[in-house]
Amino acid sequence: AQTVTQSQPEMSVQEAETVTLSCTYDTSESDYYLFWYKQPPSRQMILVIRQEAYKQQNATENRFSVNFQKAAKSFSLKISDSQLGDAAMYFCASGARSGTYKYIFGTGTRLKVLA
Amino acid sequence: GAGVSQSPRYKVAKRGQDVALRCDPISGHVSLFWYQQALGQGPEFLTYFQNEAQLDKSGLPSDRFFAERPEGSVSTLKIQRTQQEDSAVYLCASPGGQSSYNEQFFGPGTRLTVL
């Protein structure tokens, strides 16, 4: 079975500082994607960053970057220069590039940004 | 449309009632997914459509849950004889373009509360 584990239920970061959210996964798929989604309170889920498993280079999107360790099945998200608007639930997810293409989500990490 | 829309946004049902939740995916998107997100949890896969064909319904928790997409666009998730454990946010998502493994765009969800 495919699983995604987020071991940090809640994290806090001071505004302008850097924070890293952890995620580990297990999949039998040979070709897959990994994602970080952000879900602000009462608002819809939006994609933060995506990593294709066959690419060795870590994905970056402005202040967001990942540390993808394929052998360790680890996929952490680093948020630099944290802003108040970054406060949200963050979900790590894996998605296959074949079959059903469904996403498997972790349980989420609630990020608080302190002013 | 500009994004995935869902209606109603909130639904309160008495235990035993039937409910119908609607999803309007982004125009032209071939695939459509339904997820269930319980309070404090990550979304969990329910079912997947490619056009009007329901290709995977392995995540539906019981035979009280039924989904359809008769014309390959709008989809309806129906829950019969609702139970308290059905209380959750129901999310609809559609991947961009013609490839089912593309990034999934999520709707705002329908929050179902069963009393």
Side-chain angles (χ1 to χ4, degrees):
Chain A
Q2 298 180 63
T3 59
V4 175
T5 302
Q6 294 179 251
S7 58
Q8 305 157 315
E10 189 172 293
M11 293 283 285
S12 296
V13 62
Q14 205 71 34
E15 195 176 6
E17 296 295 308
T18 296
V19 64
T20 298
L21 307 184
S22 301
C23 173
T24 59
Y25 66 94
D26 194 9
T27 179
S28 56
E29 301 288 340
S30 58
D31 192 7
Y32 56 93
Y33 288 104
L34 296 165
F35 306 88
W36 280 98
Y37 274 86
K38 171 184 178 181
Q39 189 176 45
S42 301
R43 294 181 61 187
Q44 67 197 79
M45 198 168 301
I46 57 174
L47 180 68
V48 174
I49 198 165
R50 179 175 81 171
Q51 174 79 41
E52 292 154 294
Y54 67 85
K55 289 187 176 179
Q56 292 185 335
Q57 186 172 7
N58 289 325
T60 62
E61 285 287 342
N62 300 315
R63 298 182 295 107
F64 300 88
S65 62
V66 298
N67 184 4
F68 174 45
Q69 302 289 328
K70 191 172 184 178
K73 295 187 177 178
S74 171
F75 183 61
S76 61
L77 174 69
K78 186 172 80 171
I79 306 174
S80 303
D81 185 25
S82 297
Q83 301 175 358
L84 294 177
D86 295 334
M89 282 292 289
Y90 286 81
F91 292 97
C92 178
S94 70
R97 287 193 55 167
S98 62
T100 296
Y101 315 104
K102 65 185 178 185
Y103 286 7
I104 306 297
F105 286 86
T107 52
T109 296
R110 180 174 302 281
L111 179 65
K112 295 183 176 181
V113 181
L114 308 174
Chain B
V4 180
S5 60
Q6 294 185 245
S7 61
R9 290 293 311 278
Y10 302 91
K11 178 69 179 178
V12 178
K14 291 183 178 178
R15 189 172 55 185
Q17 283 185 332
D18 298 349
V19 298
L21 313 179
R22 176 187 170 106
C23 171
D24 283 83
I26 297 171
S27 178
H29 282 200
V30 170
S31 299
L32 184 149
F33 293 77
W34 283 98
Y35 293 86
Q36 179 191 57
Q37 186 177 17
L39 186 64
Q41 300 296 313
E44 292 191 357
F45 170 78
L46 292 176
T47 187
Y48 158 60
F49 290 87
Q50 188 165 335
N51 295 306
E52 69 279 2
Q54 189 174 20
L55 299 185
D56 188 339
K57 55 182 181 179
S58 62
L60 296 176
S62 77
D63 59 8
R64 296 185 295 103
F65 287 70
F66 172 75
E68 60 183 5
R69 194 186 185 199
E71 297 179 357
S73 54
V74 171
S75 178
T76 304
L77 177 66
K78 297 179 179 179
I79 309 173
Q80 297 176 325
R81 304 181 304 281
T82 52
Q83 303 295 313
Q84 286 187 324
E85 61 263 28
D86 300 335
S87 295
V89 175
Y90 291 85
L91 298 169
C92 177
S94 66
Q98 299 296 310
S99 297
S100 295
Y101 58 78
N102 285 347
E103 168 198 344
Q104 293 189 15
F105 294 89
F106 284 82
T110 294
R111 181 178 298 278
L112 173 65
T113 302
V114 181
L115 304 176

